[in-house]
Amino acid sequence: MPSNNDHHPPRGRAGMREVADRAGVAMSSVSRVLSGHPDVSPQMRVTVLKAVDEIGYRPDMLAQGLRSRRTLSIGFTVSEIANPVMSGIVTGAEKRLRAAGYSLLLTDSEGNPDLDVEQIHLLEQRRVDGLVLALADEHHPGTVRALQELDLPVVLLDRDVPAGVDARVARFDHYEGMSAATSHLLDLGHRNFALIVGGPRLPARERRRGVDETLERSGTGATCTVFDGEFSSRFGSQAVAEMMGASVCPTAIIAGGNLLMEGALRELHRRNVRVGAELSFVGCDDVALAELHDPPIAVVDRDVQAIGAAAADLLLTRLADRGDEDDPRAMDWHTDVQDVVLPTHFVRRASCAPAPTPR
Amino acid sequence: MPSNNDHHPPRGRAGMREVADRAGVAMSSVSRVLSGHPDVSPQMRVTVLKAVDEIGYRPDMLAQGLRSRRTLSIGFTVSEIANPVMSGIVTGAEKRLRAAGYSLLLTDSEGNPDLDVEQIHLLEQRRVDGLVLALADEHHPGTVRALQELDLPVVLLDRDVPAGVDARVARFDHYEGMSAATSHLLDLGHRNFALIVGGPRLPARERRRGVDETLERSGTGATCTVFDGEFSSRFGSQAVAEMMGASVCPTAIIAGGNLLMEGALRELHRRNVRVGAELSFVGCDDVALAELHDPPIAVVDRDVQAIGAAAADLLLTRLADRGDEDDPRAMDWHTDVQDVVLPTHFVRRASCAPAPTPR
């Protein structure tokens, strides 16, 4: 029987194998003892615990050994808890996961990718069975590394999958809704656009692409100034302040995100700019602010509960694929389940009006 | 040396005492072995693990034994993640806890007290060091029982402390702001009020008391119809629909909560009721919807980040009081730290106008 001669005590599954060999029992027996399975004889328990000690299998690994037992909890990292649609997404995911017997543990990254990395490790240590990640920045090197090293099924929410990462994705087709909004503004005669986007993430990139390519395809010669910053209400206000100070003011503003919309509208109010008269405006997400604004704000809307449910379903499929966790061969969840793309759609409202005739 | 003769194997600290007695070692040694402390001799480890097994101390308790080691994480149960001020509260708490080296694990109870109980147990199992609880209903019997049995420092957020529960509280003085709003409406000549409140919790009770007592004290003979239901946007709409269908319409509506305000305004919009002209309106929390509404909505406001920070500070004080967790005598955190009450204040705006002269 091989024994462990390394200076460092063994960790993880490698350590479990050593324990099994030393005790002369099957790995599934080691797993049963460490996970507190009720059908274990006292003799087996003594044998395994003795081997655990003799081999120097770290006691803090006992907790990790418990990992093989499902905890029926799922971790969900939220990029910005201030994002008003996040509650809908979480609710959509939670209902679906709860129906399958899972609880949800949430963390907030405050838009900071370094915190994403911390939260992923925190949730992993808390032995969640899987992760839904609305990352602050999916291409942040630390995040990519954490994802590559992760030994859990993962679903990314509205993000690209970085190279070398095994994850499924539930995302929106931001391009389509933004393209429709841009076409509508072009039809109303607008040729001078401003676009506010925020966050180094898929939604910002796709929203921008939707506006840029639609303007280019139109052959109208319309121009667009892009304000690209952090995804926050503050940046929305700041972008409007900047564009209003420029020599040529846009006739149409598109705010590519709900917090950016909120900030932009706040600054327009402060300047007494009459939206829908002096200036056309398109926002994102049909939140109460857009719906009850005077005039109502045209938005690119989406079903946020549906994406939460879709992310949950993808994760549940991957978890089901794990099969019997006592059998190491069944621990592979890298199956071919398809990513999900949900539509966005443009809601026309009085905040969009014909462009003023050129002076 | 006493041994365990019960049918059920011992649990928790009681079990640790049995293990210590059986092994003939100090409880702190048992704690050290179970928590993976590096300074434990192989001999001590074998002795303790043998006693663990002989006594039938459940292997799944090994994980609980690890609890005595701090995990530097705090659990935070959110009653409704859809509540737009919750993000501010969480952010306020998170900044303070992070500065002290703690991470935050959040759960959402969807306003369902049974889920509160589940989440409390879930977070306890995940070995958080303490809890901040924004409970769905602090007097729900299951919740009270869970709180009474809880062996962790707890801070309740804007809730009463049920009998027999050891918890500190960070809360708002809802009475004061509501009383000021009511006085303002009385000064404007209003005598026929409607109040919408929701949720079986401290804020609803205190807001209602603020309105009721102020009306009574005024000696004006003013009346108030109270609509008391769930804390949701939907109930806000429903309450307005009901009061508009009644034989006598109120001239002033007070919505005791941000989601209730949102729903009430939605229904008023739907009915084309001109707020500030036909009807005066007071809401809660200075969210973007209130600030950017036309006319702007008068609100009872409060510093939500400050209450999050206050709750975190209370918890950190209690955690510091625990001292050395290897010493059972130092595990008592039931100290006399004071509860915190933060002010609310009324923000006058154009949604409040003189009462129409009686027809």
Side-chain angles (χ1 to χ4, degrees):
Chain A
M1 248 179 276
S3 72
N4 178 50
N5 295 315
D6 292 348
H7 178 68
H8 297 291
R11 302 182 66 97
R13 294 192 67 79
M16 277 175 68
R17 162 62 58 204
E18 303 282 339
V19 171
D21 288 343
R22 162 77 66 147
V25 302
M27 245 178 102
S28 60
S29 301
V30 177
S31 166
R32 277 215 183 81
V33 171
L34 296 181
S35 69
H37 198 288
D39 294 331
V40 174
S41 71
Q43 182 53 47
M44 175 64 82
R45 203 176 293 148
V46 168
T47 306
V48 168
L49 287 175
K50 263 189 171 165
V52 161
D53 190 65
E54 287 163 7
I55 216 164
Y57 190 66
R58 288 200 199 143
D60 67 348
M61 288 298 103
L62 292 172
Q64 289 210 13
L66 290 174
R67 161 120 31 93
S68 63
R69 188 172 57 173
R70 297 190 180 188
T71 61
L72 294 178
S73 61
I74 299 296
F76 191 141
T77 70
V78 171
S79 51
E80 284 103 0
I81 200 171
N83 186 335
V85 302
M86 209 40 93
S87 69
I89 297 176
V90 167
T91 304
E94 202 157 38
K95 283 196 196 317
R96 204 59 71 97
L97 291 171
R98 194 181 307 289
Y102 287 86
S103 301
L104 207 51
L105 286 171
L106 306 166
T107 62
D108 170 32
S109 301
E110 305 171 22
N112 178 350
D114 290 327
L115 291 184
D116 269 347
V117 177
E118 260 185 44
Q119 320 282 27
I120 289 170
H121 291 316
L122 175 74
L123 290 166
E124 206 184 2
Q125 284 163 13
R126 292 299 166 283
R127 302 190 283 112
V128 295
D129 291 333
L131 289 169
V132 178
L133 303 175
L135 297 163
D137 176 2
E138 68 265 42
H139 294 297
H140 178 70
T143 304
V144 174
R145 208 159 40 240
L147 293 177
Q148 286 168 343
E149 289 168 0
L150 206 56
D151 192 25
L152 281 175
V154 168
V155 173
L156 300 185
L157 217 143
D158 223 7
R159 300 292 182 269
D160 286 320
V161 181
V165 169
D166 175 51
R168 292 282 77 76
V169 175
R171 71 175 192 87
F172 286 109
D173 181 356
H174 299 281
Y175 184 98
E176 203 53 41
M178 274 291 154
S179 178
T182 308
S183 294
H184 179 60
L185 289 166
L186 283 169
D187 289 347
L188 288 168
H190 294 276
R191 296 296 179 264
N192 192 355
F193 289 72
L195 170 66
I196 313 172
V197 288
R201 312 189 279 250
L202 177 141
R205 288 189 290 275
E206 286 298 293
R207 283 165 174 157
R208 179 169 181 172
R209 199 170 66 87
V211 174
D212 281 351
E213 294 188 11
T214 306
L215 291 180
E216 190 151 327
R217 252 199 330 265
S218 73
T220 57
T223 59
C224 181
T225 312
V226 178
F227 296 81
D228 191 348
E230 66 173 24
F231 186 74
S232 70
S233 167
R234 188 178 46 190
F235 180 67
S237 297
Q238 186 188 319
V240 167
E242 273 182 45
M243 66 183 79
M244 292 294 154
S247 54
V248 182
C249 267
T251 65
I253 300 177
I254 301 177
N258 50 57
L259 289 176
L260 300 169
M261 164 172 77
E262 181 186 310
L265 288 174
R266 184 174 284 121
E267 183 64 18
L268 291 170
H269 271 245
R270 211 182 62 78
R271 293 169 176 262
N272 294 311
V273 176
R274 288 173 302 132
V275 171
E278 299 167 59
L279 191 89
S280 287
F281 190 96
V282 171
C284 278
D285 299 323
D286 201 9
V287 293
L289 173 63
E291 183 192 352
L292 303 180
H293 192 273
D294 183 26
I297 303 293
V299 290
V300 174
D301 197 25
R302 50 180 174 162
D303 188 339
V304 292
Q305 292 224 15
I307 198 119
D313 286 344
L314 282 174
L315 196 59
L316 289 170
T317 309
R318 303 197 89 187
L319 287 166
D321 287 340
R322 291 181 72 176
D324 176 11
E325 63 266 20
D326 277 348
D327 175 5
R329 291 162 305 177
M331 301 266 301
D332 187 20
W333 55 80
H334 309 277
T335 49
D336 268 344
V337 50
Q338 288 289 306
D339 290 348
V340 173
V341 182
L342 296 181
T344 61
H345 55 277
F346 177 55
V347 183
R348 295 185 187 196
R349 285 187 182 142
S351 66
C352 293
T357 43
R359 280 163 287 193
Chain B
M1 250 179 275
S3 73
N4 178 52
N5 297 315
D6 292 349
H7 178 69
H8 296 291
R11 302 183 65 97
R13 294 192 66 79
M16 276 175 68
R17 163 62 58 205
E18 303 282 339
V19 172
D21 288 344
R22 163 75 67 147
V25 301
M27 243 179 103
S28 60
S29 300
V30 177
S31 165
R32 278 216 183 80
V33 170
L34 295 182
S35 69
H37 197 289
D39 294 332
V40 175
S41 70
Q43 181 53 45
M44 174 64 83
R45 204 176 292 149
V46 169
T47 306
V48 169
L49 287 176
K50 263 187 171 167
V52 161
D53 191 65
E54 288 163 6
I55 216 163
Y57 190 67
R58 288 197 200 146
D60 67 349
M61 288 299 104
L62 291 174
Q64 289 210 11
L66 290 174
R67 161 124 27 94
S68 61
R69 191 171 53 173
R70 296 190 182 189
T71 61
L72 293 178
S73 61
I74 300 296
F76 191 141
T77 71
V78 171
S79 51
E80 284 104 0
I81 200 171
N83 186 334
V85 303
M86 209 39 93
S87 69
I89 297 176
V90 168
T91 304
E94 203 158 38
K95 282 195 197 319
R96 204 60 71 98
L97 292 170
R98 194 182 306 289
Y102 286 86
S103 301
L104 208 52
L105 286 170
L106 305 166
T107 62
D108 170 32
S109 300
E110 306 171 22
N112 178 351
D114 290 327
L115 290 184
D116 269 348
V117 177
E118 259 185 47
Q119 319 282 28
I120 289 170
H121 291 315
L122 175 74
L123 290 165
E124 207 184 2
Q125 284 163 14
R126 291 300 165 284
R127 302 191 283 112
V128 295
D129 291 333
L131 288 169
V132 178
L133 304 175
L135 297 163
D137 176 3
E138 67 266 42
H139 295 297
H140 178 70
T143 304
V144 174
R145 207 158 42 239
L147 292 177
Q148 286 168 343
E149 289 168 0
L150 205 55
D151 192 25
L152 280 176
V154 168
V155 173
L156 300 185
L157 216 143
D158 223 7
R159 300 291 182 269
D160 286 320
V161 181
V165 169
D166 175 51
R168 292 282 77 76
V169 175
R171 72 175 191 87
F172 286 109
D173 181 356
H174 298 282
Y175 185 97
E176 203 53 41
M178 273 292 153
S179 179
T182 307
S183 294
H184 179 60
L185 289 166
L186 283 169
D187 290 348
L188 288 169
H190 293 277
R191 295 297 178 264
N192 192 354
F193 289 73
L195 170 65
I196 314 173
V197 288
R201 311 189 279 250
L202 178 141
R205 288 190 291 275
E206 285 298 294
R207 283 165 174 157
R208 179 169 180 171
R209 199 170 66 85
V211 174
D212 281 351
E213 294 188 10
T214 306
L215 290 180
E216 191 151 327
R217 254 201 328 267
S218 74
T220 57
T223 59
C224 181
T225 311
V226 178
F227 296 80
D228 191 349
E230 65 173 24
F231 186 75
S232 69
S233 167
R234 188 178 48 191
F235 180 67
S237 298
Q238 186 189 320
V240 166
E242 273 182 45
M243 67 182 79
M244 293 292 154
S247 54
V248 182
C249 267
T251 65
I253 299 177
I254 302 177
N258 50 57
L259 289 176
L260 300 169
M261 164 173 77
E262 179 186 310
L265 288 174
R266 184 175 284 121
E267 184 64 18
L268 290 169
H269 270 245
R270 211 182 63 79
R271 292 169 177 263
N272 294 312
V273 176
R274 288 173 303 132
V275 170
E278 298 169 60
L279 192 89
S280 287
F281 191 96
V282 171
C284 279
D285 299 323
D286 201 9
V287 293
L289 173 63
E291 182 192 353
L292 302 181
H293 192 273
D294 183 27
I297 302 294
V299 289
V300 174
D301 197 25
R302 49 179 174 162
D303 188 339
V304 292
Q305 292 224 14
I307 199 121
D313 286 344
L314 282 174
L315 196 59
L316 289 170
T317 309
R318 304 198 88 189
L319 286 166
D321 288 340
R322 291 181 73 176
D324 176 11
E325 64 265 18
D326 277 348
D327 175 6
R329 292 162 304 176
M331 302 265 303
D332 187 19
W333 54 80
H334 308 278
T335 50
D336 267 343
V337 51
Q338 289 288 307
D339 290 349
V340 173
V341 182
L342 295 181
T344 61
H345 55 277
F346 177 56
V347 182
R348 294 185 187 195
R349 286 189 181 139
S351 66
C352 293
T357 44
R359 279 162 290 195

